[in-house]
Amino acid sequence: MRRIRIASTVCAMAVAGTALGACTVQGSGDAAQPLRVHRTTAAPPAARPPAKAPSPSAPSSSAPAPSKDPEAARATVRPSHSPTRPAPPPPLMAVGTSSAQVRELQARLRSLKLFGQNPTGYYGTITSASVSAFQKSRGLPRTGSTDRTTWQRLLDRTDTPSHDELYPPTTLPVSKPDPRCTTGRAMCISKKSRTLAWMVDGKIVSAMDVRFGSEGDPTREGLFKVFWKHRHHVSTLYDSPMPYAMFFSGGEAVHYSSDFAARGYAGASHGCVNVRDEKKIAALYAAVHTGDKVVVY
């Protein structure tokens, strides 16, 4: 019995294992034959060729080789930037521009009551503020510079200015003449409009821009007469030239000023009436006689 139990146990193990084959018990009764275990050996699997290791000089095309440089690693995943936008075109006119087109711009703005002076052809801060006001009224960016869009909108809103509108005699409109200027021959000089109007029998013959003395040396006001003319006068007090000088009150005279021509209203005289247009004062000097009236108001 013991042998049979052992044989049964061995057979059960053989059934459960994969390395053992079938087992049999031979003999019967007390004379049982010894246990024989027949082992079967499974054929070894076919040999597989070893996987070919990738060549160190030929990286795999499926995935990039890792980089040891952290900056380079971040660069590989950084999104590409959009192309740089081209710079906007420069404006047609801006502060500092001086041209016939600026003169037309000012005349058109003046017709819309946005420019309070006569055209000068120079694009300064006053012109820039007027352009900015126009841009605001049309819903445009308030740059103060005149780009193509602003210019086209202005052309659509205004008429072509006439020659007199483009080239008025003075920067500011001539003021209403003082009653003392309306008879005889008079240089009618307005501090309000900063203009000189040469009048004969109540009619304006010519007009020009003028500037006056500073607060410390104000130009006298009142009714005067020309008492002396000197074409190439030089000031004895300030050693400065006073061409086309026409004296009307002590050392005060109407004369040409190269400083006024260069700097405009940024400067001032020492009490004289400065004229900045040399051609106009040359013609005035030739027309004015000693004894003609000078009215400063």
Side-chain angles (χ1 to χ4, degrees), residues 62-217:
S62 59
S67 173
K68 296 181 180 181
D69 185 356
E71 293 295 332
R74 286 195 294 270
T76 59
V77 297
R78 186 176 298 144
S80 59
H81 295 287
S82 59
T84 304
R85 295 181 179 179
L92 296 176
M93 293 166 278
V95 172
T97 306
S98 182
S99 66
Q101 191 177 29
V102 173
R103 185 178 293 274
E104 181 181 352
L105 168 73
Q106 294 167 336
R108 290 179 180 273
L109 290 171
R110 180 171 171 75
S111 70
L112 296 175
K113 302 186 184 304
L114 294 175
F115 187 70
Q117 302 187 29
N118 287 335
T120 62
Y122 177 76
Y123 204 119
T125 55
I126 296 176
T127 304
S128 178
S130 299
V131 170
S132 180
F134 175 76
Q135 291 170 331
K136 180 181 179 182
S137 69
R138 308 313 300 168
L140 300 173
R142 299 179 61 183
T143 63
S145 299
T146 304
D147 55 14
R148 295 186 182 278
T149 301
T150 301
W151 179 242
Q152 187 59 53
R153 295 285 182 88
L154 185 60
L155 293 179
D156 295 340
R157 294 276 297 171
T158 56
D159 297 326
T160 302
S162 65
H163 182 272
D164 291 341
E165 291 173 328
L166 289 171
Y167 296 94
T170 58
T171 299
L172 294 174
V174 176
S175 296
K176 182 180 179 180
D178 185 279
R180 295 169 291 183
C181 303
T182 57
T183 59
R185 297 159 57 90
M187 285 191 285
C188 200
I189 303 170
S190 169
K191 285 187 173 181
K192 180 179 180 180
S193 64
R194 296 184 290 190
T195 60
L196 183 157
W198 169 237
M199 300 184 66
V200 178
D201 298 330
K203 295 182 179 180
I204 298 177
V205 179
S206 64
M208 58 204 73
D209 293 329
V210 293
R211 73 176 183 182
F212 305 95
S214 62
E215 292 184 2
D217 295 306

Side-chain angles (χ1 to χ4, degrees), residues 280-293:
K280 287 186 176 182
I281 194 171
L284 179 64
Y285 184 87
V288 171
H289 302 154
T290 302
D292 288 340
K293 290 187 295 186

Side-chain angles (χ1 to χ4, degrees), residues 3-4 7 24-36:
R3 290 181 179 177
I4 294 174
T24 59
V25 179
Q26 297 181 358
S28 61
D30 292 337
Q33 297 296 319
L35 178 66
R36 294 180 181 181

Side-chain angles (χ1 to χ4, degrees), residues 239-261:
D239 194 29
S240 57
M242 299 170 56
Y244 305 101
M246 294 173 280
F247 290 89
F248 60 88
S249 177
E252 294 185 4
V254 176
H255 68 86
Y256 170 71
S257 170
S258 59
D259 181 74
F260 184 24

